[in-house]
């Protein structure tokens, strides 16, 4: 029947939960970020771009996210093709394996990489034994943002693979065959057919990877405490340190949210374009 | 047809990639597993000796057992509340079939990535902390945060499930056969929605159980959940840390097996169920 | 008493009017096909009869009883959906039994009724099959049996065969027809496939833009289309732009033609509709009426017939020739065809 207005009531619990535990806190952060020295001002935001620690944290986070997005795409693309091309039992196995890192807590991944690449980690020891590489020098990189790239990729590559597997199976191979039959060269096919076909998904996957690395800090926390100055950890430091004004942390948080939201909108747009 | 040399090379390359990827995902887990049963692991390639001591220590230490209990409570309640909130909402989104509502829903799914946990935690700390009324440092506030954080993992499989069975048409068919809404819900909707409900609940449960980022911000020393005390375990000893980590890994793997099994049983796409949010 | 009656029914979704002042009567026990292109309002009409959609104005009667105040559940209409809509958690038996169990019939009677229905649709051996294991055709048979189980006052079918492949579609089409005839249930069958509509129904109602363009037996609708739209939508037609002069002479590009009934028409521009199979080949020296002479532009082999494109002057017409008539026509060959004055139909040009 057409009397279906009551169904909107079913959305109320969801709206209430989101309102109380997400929208309200977010508004609080937003409002307070414009509060400095007892009045409304943009001083906190100016500080984000002026104060070395903050702007450097923003730069480090961006560097980390750009790197993971690019490397994740570069590694995820061939792996997703491997998953796409493999047959029944192998394909299921690959998909199951791919899902494993997705369910892990960031903390677990952080610790796993200490055991793997830390000062007395498995690979570090292997390299020392067979190539005489100094373990301290080798493992030092793990505790910089470059090390975070390596650890983050563990849970990001699977996301890339899942996005791209869908893209491969939706891809219209007859277009490639048509181009080949018309005598197109491989570079032409790549630029004119393959890229337009897979590009949107690649963009979607990369922006997802970017946004996730921008916001996550569990793995980084496990690896380095708050030693690596990425944006979420700097924010975390701000609130555990009583002497610092919370308003500054709020301004940082808003900057972070704006970046991740913009990237996520990009993700949704390119995803929608693919499905259209 | 005999495979040509080029085919063989391609296949070998594929197989090599396959093995490398396999090792990449599994070796860290296997190392942690080995470490959790090893007596000593210091400046050696692999742990030495075999012991159950670390697990014994873990499960007899009240700090850890209490945290496990608290985590199970929070995760269980998160899954329950999530189902209670998400099932009606998803039903409304599917049956109302409105474009703007669907777009709104798609945005809600992406919220936990768009609003990172650090920002959410920051906001919760400030908006639930007033003189005379403060929830900061209680597990109840963490519960609220986890409900929001894990919502996509419940919403996504549920809507995919409704769309797969084409509930809109089933409902019309049921009504035309004379069934009332309560009868339809009990006899048709719930049985057919079970895979979505279960896999959503499993994912949500596992996510909440392993969630560290919100927990470290929102809990205090007497409301710590398991991941928070696990972080402290990293500084105890390698063996102990490995065994404490294995607890989370094992729950994750069981969850995953459950979800994949459900997907297989009911013919849902794996990507559909698993496509997840932030770590 | 009519089985289903719609009186001046209108339904709009926002600004888009789906059904406009629709009047339609379906006799009791009649099989009516609602035919039209997508978006013509035929599904909306069906959904209003079923009770899923409420008309903005007008009245709907089932077995002479107004049903506006009745909900879907109370209307007792059987519906067969394009997507089958079987309950996936139930067996074929349980699906068919659903409506009976809702009505709390004794289990003994449920069993005997369901098995009778299973037999009717030829699926006695599939009673305990999970409906996911059944083929598309079998699923739709179960859906049909499920709809019939509640002994509906009206059976509504919404494009029930369009998800099936051609072979299954044809056999199921005749089975539906047979079952309908045996049970005598008033049936409305929505389809966009004109061949299906013509072959299955007692009466066809052609819909366009929310209104009924023409309703009649399949024969009437095909032979006497009342509008250019119907002539074009149902079957294949030649359209010749002609001039009707006072006194009933018809001119097509200055060529005089004789068409029955032209004398009573107002002079002016008209369009002459001729089905391609009504154009018959005539020998060179024949002196029949309405001879069109042209050259073959091409032909398509369609099994029992060949469809020839014939260039007459500057215009091209289609001629269907039975395959016994001429073995092979090559492009460029001359061909003379004629039609009898009763086979052309004049419709006003707008």
């Amino acid at each position: 029947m057409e009397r279906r207005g009551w169904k909107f009531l079913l959305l109320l619990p969801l709206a209430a939960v989101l309102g109380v535990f997400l929208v309200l806190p977010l508004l609080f952060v937003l409002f307070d970020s414009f509060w400095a020295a007892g009045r409304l001002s943009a001083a906190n935001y100016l500080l984000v771009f002026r104060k070395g620690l903050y702007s450097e944290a923003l730069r480090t986070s961006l560097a980390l996210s750009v790197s993971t997005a690019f490397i994740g795409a570069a590694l995820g693309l061939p792996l997703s093709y491997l998953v796409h091309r493999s047959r029944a039992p192998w394909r299921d196995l690959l998909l199951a394996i791919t899902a494993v890192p997705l369910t892990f807590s960031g903390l677990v991944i952080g610790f796993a990489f200490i055991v793997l690449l830390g000062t007395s980690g498995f690979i570090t020891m292997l390299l020392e034994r067979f190539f005489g590489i100094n373990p301290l020098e080798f493992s030092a990189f793990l505790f910089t943002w470059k090390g975070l790239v390596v650890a983050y990729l563990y849970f990001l590559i699977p996301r890339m693979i899942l996005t791209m597997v869908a893209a491969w199976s939706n891809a219209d191979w007859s277009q490639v065959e048509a181009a080949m039959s018309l005598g197109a060269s491989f570079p032409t096919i790549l630029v004119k057919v393959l890229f337009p076909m897979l590009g949107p998904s690649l963009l979607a996957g990369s922006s997802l990877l970017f946004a996730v690395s921008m916001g996550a800090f569990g793995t980084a926390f496990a690896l380095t405490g708050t030693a690596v100055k990425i944006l979420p950890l700097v924010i975390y430091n701000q609130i555990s340190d009583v002497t610092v004004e919370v308003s500054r942390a709020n301004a940082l948080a808003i900057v972070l949210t704006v970046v991740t939201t913009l990237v996520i909108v990009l993700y949704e747009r390119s995803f929608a374009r693919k499905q259209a | 047809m005999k495979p040509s040399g080029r085919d063989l090379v391609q296949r070998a390359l594929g197989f090599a990639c396959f093995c490398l990827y396999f090792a990449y995902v599994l070796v860290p887990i296997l190392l942690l597993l080995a470490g959790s049963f090893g007596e000593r692991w210091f400046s050696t390639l692999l742990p030495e000796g075999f012991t159950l001591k670390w697990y014994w220590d873990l499960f007899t230490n009240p700090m850890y057992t209490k945290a496990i209990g608290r985590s199970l409570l929070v995760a269980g309640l998160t899954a329950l509340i999530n189902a209670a909130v998400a099932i009606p909402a998803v039903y409304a989104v599917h049956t109302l079939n409105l474009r703007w509502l669907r777009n709104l829903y798609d945005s809600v799914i992406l919220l936990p990535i768009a609003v990172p946990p650090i920002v959410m935690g920051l906001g919760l700390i400030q908006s639930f902390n007033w003189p005379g009324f403060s929830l900061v440092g209680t597990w109840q506030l963490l519960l609220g945060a986890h409900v929001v954080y894990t919502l996509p993992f419940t919403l996504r499989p549920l809507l995919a499930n409704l769309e797969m069975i084409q509930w809109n048409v089933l409902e019309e068919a049921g009504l035309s056969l004379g069934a009332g809404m309560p009868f339809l819900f009990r006899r048709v909707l719930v049985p057919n929605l079970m895979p979505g409900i279960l896999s959503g609940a499993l994912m949500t449960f596992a996510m909440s159980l392993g969630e560290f980022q919100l927990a470290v911000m929102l809990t205090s020393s007497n409301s710590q959940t398991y991941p928070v005390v696990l972080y402290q375990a990293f500084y105890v000893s390698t063996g102990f840390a490995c065994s404490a980590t294995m607890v989370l890994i094992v729950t994750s793997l069981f969850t995953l097996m459950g979800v994949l099994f459900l997907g297989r049983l009911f013919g849902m796409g794996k990507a559909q169920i698993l496509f997840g949010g932030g770590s | 008493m009519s089985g289903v009656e719609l009186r001046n029914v209108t339904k709009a979704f926002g600004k888009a009017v789906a059904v406009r002042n629709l009047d339609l009567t379906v006799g009791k026990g009649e099989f009516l096909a609602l035919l039209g292109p997508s978006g013509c309002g035929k599904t909306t009409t069906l959904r209003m009869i079923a009770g899923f959609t409420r008309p903005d104005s007008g009245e709907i009667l089932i077995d002479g009883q107004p049903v506006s105040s009745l909900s879907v559940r109370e209307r007792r209409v059987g519906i067969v959906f394009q997507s089958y809509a079987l309950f996936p958690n139930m067996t074929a038996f349980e699906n068919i039994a659903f409506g009976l169990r809702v009505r709390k019939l004794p289990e003994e009677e449920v069993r005997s009724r369901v098995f009778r229905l299973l037999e009717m649709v030829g699926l006695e051996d599939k009673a305990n099959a999970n409906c996911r294991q059944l083929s598309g055709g079998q699923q739709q048979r179960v859906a049909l049996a499920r709809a019939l189980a509640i002994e509906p006052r009206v059976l509504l079918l919404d494009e029930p065969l369009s998800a099936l492949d051609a072979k299954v579609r044809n056999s199921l089409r005749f089975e539906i027809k047979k079952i309908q005839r045996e049970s005598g249930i008033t049936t409305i069958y929505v389809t966009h496939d004109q061949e299906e509509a013509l072959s299955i129904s007692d009466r066809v109602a052609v819909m366009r833009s929310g209104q009924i363009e023409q309703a009649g037996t399949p024969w009437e609708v095909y032979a006497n289309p009342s509008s250019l739209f119907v002539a074009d939508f149902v079957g294949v037609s030649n359209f010749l732009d002609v001039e009707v002069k006072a006194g009933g002479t018809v001119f097509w590009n200055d060529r005089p033609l004789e068409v029955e009934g032209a004398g009573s028409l107002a002079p002016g521009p008209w369009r002459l509709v001729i089905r391609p199979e009504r154009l018959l080949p005539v020998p060179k020296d024949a002196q029949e009426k309405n001879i069109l002479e042209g050259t073959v532009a091409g032909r398509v082999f369609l099994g029992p017939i060949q469809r020839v494109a014939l260039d007459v002057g500057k215009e091209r017409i289609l001629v269907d020739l039975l395959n016994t008539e001429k073995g092979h026509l090559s492009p460029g060959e001359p061909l003379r065809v004629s039609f009898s004055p009763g086979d052309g139909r004049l419709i006003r040009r707008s």
Side-chain angles (χ1 to χ4, degrees):
Chain A
M1 296 301 283
E2 295 244 314
R3 276 180 257 116
R4 48 184 211 168
W6 63 274
K7 284 183 180 168
F8 283 101
L9 294 178
L10 297 177
L11 294 164
L12 274 182
L14 179 66
V17 166
L18 286 174
V20 171
F21 292 105
L22 190 73
V23 178
L24 202 69
L26 208 57
L27 287 177
F28 211 98
V29 171
L30 182 66
F31 178 72
D32 192 68
S33 69
F34 284 103
W35 200 259
R39 60 193 186 86
L40 281 175
S41 84
N44 297 314
Y45 286 94
L46 291 176
L47 214 57
V48 171
F49 298 103
R50 282 213 197 112
K51 189 167 167 171
L53 171 68
Y54 300 152
S55 56
E56 205 189 310
L58 184 59
R59 274 202 301 276
T60 310
S61 268
L62 288 174
L64 168 68
S65 306
V66 169
S67 314
T68 52
F70 267 99
I71 302 173
L75 294 175
L77 189 65
L79 280 170
S80 65
Y81 185 69
L82 183 71
V83 176
H84 172 69
R85 285 298 299 269
S86 55
R87 262 164 249 145
W90 301 109
R91 189 185 154 84
D92 285 355
L93 195 62
L94 274 172
L95 277 173
I97 285 290
T98 300
V100 167
L102 288 181
T103 51
F104 282 169
S105 167
L107 212 53
V108 169
I109 293 163
F111 185 64
F113 273 85
I114 291 178
V115 171
L116 204 61
L117 296 171
T119 317
S120 54
F122 181 71
I123 289 179
T124 317
M125 302 297 264
L126 270 182
L127 290 175
E128 188 198 9
R129 196 157 302 174
F130 293 106
F131 300 100
I133 291 169
N134 184 332
L136 273 174
E137 276 173 23
F138 173 77
S139 65
F141 98 100
L142 184 61
F143 307 105
T144 65
W145 69 266
K146 288 171 192 140
L148 292 189
V149 172
V150 175
Y152 276 31
L153 283 173
Y154 186 78
F155 61 80
L156 291 176
I157 289 175
R159 286 186 164 77
M160 194 71 204
I161 293 178
L162 285 183
T163 314
M164 289 311 296
V165 164
W168 285 117
S169 54
N170 290 339
D172 181 6
W173 288 104
S174 57
Q175 285 181 21
V176 178
E177 282 160 7
M180 276 159 78
S181 75
L182 293 170
S185 65
F186 180 70
T188 312
I189 293 177
L190 197 69
V191 173
K192 295 258 161 120
V193 183
L194 273 178
F195 187 73
M197 208 157 70
L198 299 170
S201 302
L202 208 54
L203 185 64
S206 302
S207 39
L208 179 70
L209 264 50
F210 184 98
V212 172
S213 358
M214 204 64 200
F217 72 96
T219 307
F221 203 85
L223 276 173
T224 72
T226 54
V228 173
K229 301 292 176 227
I230 55 172
L231 207 46
L233 283 181
V234 169
I235 297 172
Y236 182 81
N237 247 352
Q238 294 280 306
I239 47 167
S240 37
D241 188 347
V242 278
T243 59
V244 179
E245 278 189 63
V246 179
S247 302
R248 287 186 196 167
N250 287 338
L252 283 175
I254 292 298
V255 171
L256 176 63
T257 311
V258 167
V259 174
T260 48
T261 306
L262 283 179
V263 176
I264 277 303
V265 168
L266 180 71
Y267 163 83
E268 216 204 333
R269 281 290 126 80
S270 41
F271 220 68
R273 195 146 50 98
K274 192 192 74 186
Q275 283 162 350
Chain B
M1 198 173 68
K2 244 182 118 175
S4 68
R6 205 172 140 186
D7 269 356
L8 278 178
V9 171
Q10 271 183 359
R11 260 191 227 175
L13 266 176
F15 187 69
C17 287
F18 184 89
C19 293
L20 269 176
Y21 181 56
F22 233 76
Y24 174 65
V25 174
L26 292 182
V27 164
I29 301 171
L30 293 176
L31 281 176
L32 290 172
L33 182 68
S36 72
F37 288 111
E39 254 184 286
R40 290 170 310 278
W41 193 2
F42 186 73
S43 293
T44 51
L45 202 55
L46 287 169
E48 293 166 336
F50 177 85
T51 178
L52 291 173
K53 178 175 72 176
W54 307 119
Y55 287 103
W56 177 259
D57 284 359
L58 183 69
F59 290 114
T60 51
N61 185 332
M63 183 170 97
Y64 289 91
T65 51
K66 263 191 195 156
I68 289 176
R70 204 173 288 118
S71 271
L72 289 174
L73 176 73
V74 170
L77 284 176
T78 302
L80 270 181
I81 295 174
N82 248 328
V85 167
I87 293 172
V90 165
Y91 173 82
V93 170
H94 178 72
T95 54
L96 283 168
N97 198 16
L98 298 168
R99 194 169 186 82
W100 64 267
L101 191 61
R102 183 60 211 236
N103 288 341
L104 192 68
Y105 167 88
D106 285 340
S107 315
V108 167
I109 290 273
L110 293 171
L111 273 178
I113 312 177
V115 182
I118 182 85
V119 180
M120 207 176 128
L122 188 65
L124 285 168
I125 287 177
Q126 293 168 72
S127 49
F128 281 86
N129 190 18
W130 304 97
F133 169 77
S134 175
L135 283 178
V136 178
T138 65
W139 63 265
Q140 286 91 341
L141 184 60
L142 181 66
L143 174 63
H146 276 189
V147 167
V148 171
Y149 177 72
T150 55
L151 260 174
F153 299 95
T154 314
L155 290 172
R156 206 188 298 266
L158 278 176
L159 192 66
N161 197 162
L162 279 181
E163 282 171 355
M164 188 186 71
I165 62 171
Q166 294 189 295
W167 173 254
N168 264 336
V169 190
L170 289 190
E171 184 175 301
E172 289 184 348
L175 287 174
S176 77
L177 292 169
M181 276 302 192
F183 187 86
L184 268 180
F185 283 177
R186 205 174 60 243
R187 299 289 287 275
V188 187
L189 182 63
V190 171
N192 285 307
L193 204 53
M194 261 312 154
I197 295 175
L198 287 179
S199 57
L202 270 175
M203 269 322 246
T204 301
F205 185 82
M207 282 287 158
S208 167
L209 208 61
E211 200 287 324
F212 170 74
Q213 303 171 111
L214 288 162
V216 76
M217 295 179 80
L218 296 175
T219 58
S220 61
S221 55
N222 55 10
S223 63
Q224 283 167 334
T225 51
Y226 188 70
V228 182
V229 293
L230 170 65
Y231 179 67
Q232 292 158 21
F234 291 166
Y235 300 99
V236 179
S237 76
T238 312
F240 186 74
C242 284
S243 66
T245 310
M246 279 314 290
V247 171
L248 277 189
I249 290 184
V250 168
T251 43
S252 287
L253 291 180
F254 269 109
T255 308
L256 185 65
M257 269 156 43
V259 171
L260 291 180
F261 175 71
L262 282 169
R264 186 175 210 106
L265 202 62
F266 296 94
M268 281 170 87
K270 286 184 186 64
Q272 227 170 15
I273 302 176
L274 292 169
F275 214 79
S279 258
Chain C
M1 184 177 62
S2 56
V4 176
E5 195 177 341
L6 280 79
R7 289 185 190 152
N8 201 22
V9 169
T10 297
K11 174 71 196 175
F13 296 103
K15 275 185 186 151
V17 181
V19 173
R20 194 191 304 268
N21 304 330
L22 185 89
D23 286 302
L24 177 69
T25 307
V26 188
K28 199 156 174 59
E30 187 180 34
F31 195 134
L32 178 96
L34 214 46
L35 173 68
S38 59
C40 70
K42 55 191 194 300
T43 295
T44 305
T45 306
L46 195 81
R47 293 175 63 80
M48 285 192 290
I49 299 169
F52 295 134
T53 304
R54 182 180 286 270
D56 297 336
S57 63
E59 204 172 10
I60 298 173
L61 297 91
I62 296 178
D63 286 347
Q65 174 203 9
V67 291
S68 314
S69 59
L70 296 184
S71 72
V72 182
R73 301 173 55 194
E74 295 156 334
R75 289 191 188 191
R76 202 149 61 83
V77 291
I79 306 173
V80 177
F81 298 86
Q82 183 179 351
S83 59
Y84 324 134
L86 294 182
F87 304 123
N89 57 320
M90 300 181 190
T91 61
F93 181 96
E94 289 168 331
N95 263 286
I96 300 171
F98 187 89
L100 305 174
R101 287 183 173 156
V102 166
R103 287 171 174 73
K104 300 209 165 66
L105 259 62
E107 200 58 21
E108 272 300 290
E109 198 185 333
V110 171
R111 280 190 70 80
S112 70
R113 272 222 237 173
V114 171
F115 274 110
R116 218 180 311 140
L117 285 157
L118 275 167
E119 200 179 329
M120 188 174 78
V121 296
L123 290 174
E124 307 95 310
D125 53 334
K126 300 283 185 200
N128 293 315
N130 188 305
C131 40
R132 264 188 295 251
Q133 297 155 351
L134 298 175
S135 71
Q138 290 170 331
Q139 289 194 44
Q140 199 57 298
R141 283 162 204 258
V142 175
L144 180 64
R146 181 179 69 176
L148 291 171
I150 60 168
E151 295 178 343
R153 298 193 287 180
V154 191
L155 180 64
L156 306 173
L157 301 104
D158 188 6
E159 306 256 5
L161 303 181
S162 49
L164 301 169
D165 53 30
K167 264 235 159 77
V168 183
R169 198 154 57 210
N170 280 328
S171 66
L172 206 48
R173 191 189 287 172
F174 290 106
E175 229 167 303
I176 291 175
K177 173 103 184 155
K178 185 173 137 255
I179 290 169
Q180 192 270 341
R181 194 156 289 155
E182 283 163 8
S183 59
I185 295 174
T186 311
T187 300
I188 300 178
Y189 187 106
V190 161
T191 180
H192 65 273
D193 180 340
Q194 44 105 8
E195 190 192 316
E196 195 167 282
L198 295 180
S199 64
I200 203 170
S201 62
D202 301 329
R203 210 152 59 90
V204 178
V206 183
M207 273 190 89
R208 179 202 192 187
S209 320
Q211 285 176 313
I212 301 236
E213 192 89 358
Q214 184 178 8
T217 64
W219 180 254
E220 280 168 8
V221 170
Y222 184 80
N224 275 321
S226 65
S227 69
L228 292 172
F229 173 79
V230 176
D232 194 26
F233 191 76
V234 180
V236 178
S237 296
N238 287 304
F239 295 101
L240 308 181
D241 284 352
V242 296
E243 222 27 66
V244 175
K245 297 271 159 56
T249 37
V250 178
F251 285 92
W252 179 50
N253 297 338
D254 302 326
R255 190 192 309 259
L257 297 172
E258 197 176 311
V259 181
E260 230 175 67
S264 57
L265 299 176
W270 289 76
R271 194 160 282 167
L272 179 64
V273 180
I274 314 169
R275 298 289 185 188
E277 73 273 16
R278 292 307 170 103
L279 293 163
L280 302 170
V282 288
K284 261 200 188 86
D285 48 354
Q287 292 300 312
E288 320 214 354
K289 291 168 185 161
N290 298 334
I291 288 182
L292 305 174
E293 191 168 358
T295 48
V296 173
R299 64 175 199 117
V300 192
F301 180 66
L302 296 173
I305 59 164
Q306 47 183 323
R307 181 159 293 162
V308 176
L310 191 67
D311 283 342
V312 182
K314 277 183 191 147
E315 304 207 34
R316 177 166 295 183
I317 58 173
L318 296 175
V319 181
D320 283 355
L321 301 180
L322 269 177
N323 263 332
T324 49
E325 282 164 4
K326 193 143 191 185
H328 191 80
L329 279 169
S330 316
E333 265 185 66
L335 181 67
R336 283 155 65 92
V337 293
S338 79
F339 64 96
S340 81
D343 284 343
R345 199 181 149 73
L346 286 160
I347 297 173
R348 189 180 275 286
R349 260 192 279 165
S350 47

